Amino acid sequence: MDFEDVFNQERVTRKFTNRKVNEKLLATIVRKAQQSPSLLNSQPWRAYVATGESLESLKKESKTQIEAGVKPHEDFASMLSLDWGTFPSQNMATMGASQTYFFRNKLNLFTKSNKTMFNAPAVIFLTIPKKSPAWSVFDLGIFAQSIMLIAIDQGLSIMPAHSMVSYPDLVRKYVHIPNDEMVGMAIALGYKDRGAEVNDPKYYPDRVPFEKIFKLTK
């Protein structure tokens, strides 16, 4: 696929079909993503792919905790700040308003889909060692972006979502991740359910005006 086509198709999928993803394809995607650059070639990432019964068990227990009102406790929570600067705060406020408009008749559909990890047949959980510098988070982001673009090039749809790592203890339990690794993020992979209303193709969040983020110094 042409790179521009791949890049332009990088949109989240809020509900997948039940069609399984070939295990060899999943391995190929991660193997190719290993070419991603990292600080001093540290390659701090690990990729754990959950499918089948393990994933279904994780989905079930995660949904139970969500519905019981158990507060999320992501591994990256301590690395995040809620004290955002003015610029990102304004952007998020705009995003929130547009989501409210888009989901005015679909919020229940999205909530239901979110509780089931978007019905994804495969989820890749990405980790870095707990003893990692903050820079490793940047490297993990590069690795994740590589995975998503390669997956799209292979005909798959994607959904990166922090909600899937809200309960890292459950992820470790069912995906067999060691305690010395931080569960950073998750990417759901599969085939888009084009008949699902929550996958409305007309909704694309606006981007910040280019002149607000681009500065050229000579």
Side-chain angles (χ1 to χ4, degrees), residues 139-180:
D139 292 338
L140 188 66
I142 296 175
F143 183 56
Q145 175 74 333
S146 295
I147 287 174
M148 291 188 287
L149 291 177
I150 294 168
I152 292 170
D153 187 51
Q154 294 294 321
L156 298 177
S157 294
I158 60 167
M159 180 55 167
H162 79 277
S163 61
M164 293 185 286
V165 296
S166 292
Y167 308 111
D169 49 333
L170 295 183
V171 177
R172 290 190 176 88
K173 174 182 176 180
Y174 290 106
V175 193
H176 309 296
I177 296 176
N179 288 326
D180 61 353

Side-chain angles (χ1 to χ4, degrees), residues 84-100 203-214:
W84 294 87
T86 301
F87 181 61
S89 294
Q90 290 175 340
N91 297 337
M92 288 186 289
T94 300
M95 174 66 177
S98 66
Q99 280 189 322
T100 299
Y203 175 67
Y204 293 127
D206 292 333
R207 288 296 179 256
V208 175
F210 181 68
E211 60 273 12
K212 284 193 173 184
I213 64 98
F214 180 76

Side-chain angles (χ1 to χ4, degrees), residues 1 6-7 9-11 16 21 25-26 28-33 122 124 143-160 187-191:
M1 191 184 299
V6 171
F7 192 76
Q9 288 185 38
E10 190 178 22
R11 297 288 187 273
F16 297 88
V21 180
L25 176 57
L26 292 169
T28 295
I29 290 169
V30 175
R31 184 178 294 111
K32 289 184 176 181
I124 301 179
F143 183 56
Q145 175 74 333
S146 295
I147 287 174
M148 291 188 287
L149 291 177
I150 294 168
I152 292 170
D153 187 51
Q154 294 294 321
L156 298 177
S157 294
I158 60 167
M159 180 55 167
I187 303 170
L189 299 176
Y191 298 93

Side-chain angles (χ1 to χ4, degrees), residues 20-45:
K20 295 181 179 180
V21 180
N22 184 278
E23 293 180 6
K24 291 184 178 179
L25 176 57
L26 292 169
T28 295
I29 290 169
V30 175
R31 184 178 294 111
K32 289 184 176 181
Q34 281 186 276
Q35 298 301 314
S36 302
S38 59
L39 178 64
L40 300 175
N41 198 34
S42 54
Q43 304 174 67
W45 51 68

Side-chain angles (χ1 to χ4, degrees), residues 98-138:
S98 66
Q99 280 189 322
T100 299
Y101 175 77
F102 171 69
F103 287 125
R104 63 192 183 283
N105 296 319
K106 303 181 180 68
L107 185 57
N108 289 337
L109 295 176
F110 177 78
T111 300
K112 181 179 179 180
S113 185
N114 187 52
K115 286 181 180 180
T116 61
M117 295 188 181
F118 312 99
N119 196 47
V123 178
I124 301 179
F125 293 94
L126 304 178
T127 75
I128 56 174
K130 288 184 176 179
K131 293 183 178 180
S132 292
W135 198 271
S136 291
V137 178
F138 178 76

